[in-house]
Amino acid sequence: KADHYKWLEQNLQYFQVIPNISGGVIGFIRIENNEISIWLDREYWGKGIASFYLEEISEKGMFCKIVDGNISSFRSFLNAGFKPIAHEHNYYILEK
């Protein structure tokens, strides 16, 4: 656990918890070396939440890797202004 925290401190540039209105956590956004990723609890999928946060937080030059078949995530990043630029090793790479 201590090694993991040390790695996070040295490598993570941005981490945001996505709260719900009752104070709980529904997801997270992480940025590391201009790569942005998001995790959202399944209960909140399909409501535009991921696209909203990605659009608000991401900047030009950021990219993401999306596993083949993860259509929902692909759409969320497209809706947030990302464009596909490559496909390699079972990942789509999108850039803003």
Side-chain angles (χ1 to χ4, degrees):
K1 185 174 179 180
D3 288 341
H4 184 69
Y5 284 135
K6 184 177 179 180
W7 181 89
L8 283 172
E9 287 174 357
Q10 294 172 348
N11 294 286
L12 198 61
Q13 288 90 29
Y14 184 86
F15 185 81
Q16 179 176 335
V17 172
I18 302 171
N20 66 12
I21 53 177
S22 64
V25 174
I26 65 168
F28 307 95
I29 291 182
R30 176 188 65 86
I31 299 172
E32 180 183 338
N33 299 322
N34 274 345
E35 181 180 354
I36 187 168
S37 62
I38 188 167
W39 175 85
L40 200 59
D41 187 290
R42 183 179 295 267
E43 180 181 341
Y44 298 92
W45 290 4
K47 300 177 192 269
I49 296 168
S51 296
F52 171 79
Y53 277 95
L54 289 167
E55 189 170 5
E56 289 295 311
I57 293 169
S58 63
E59 299 175 353
K60 185 177 169 108
M62 288 185 173
F63 71 96
C64 66
K65 293 179 182 175
I66 301 175
V67 175
D68 286 348
N70 190 342
I71 303 301
S72 295
S73 187
F74 193 89
R75 285 185 187 147
S76 293
F77 278 92
L78 286 177
N79 290 337
F82 285 75
K83 306 285 185 222
I85 59 167
H87 183 265
E88 52 190 48
H89 307 291
N90 298 322
Y91 287 93
Y92 285 98
I93 300 171
L94 288 78
E95 185 178 66
K96 188 157 190 182

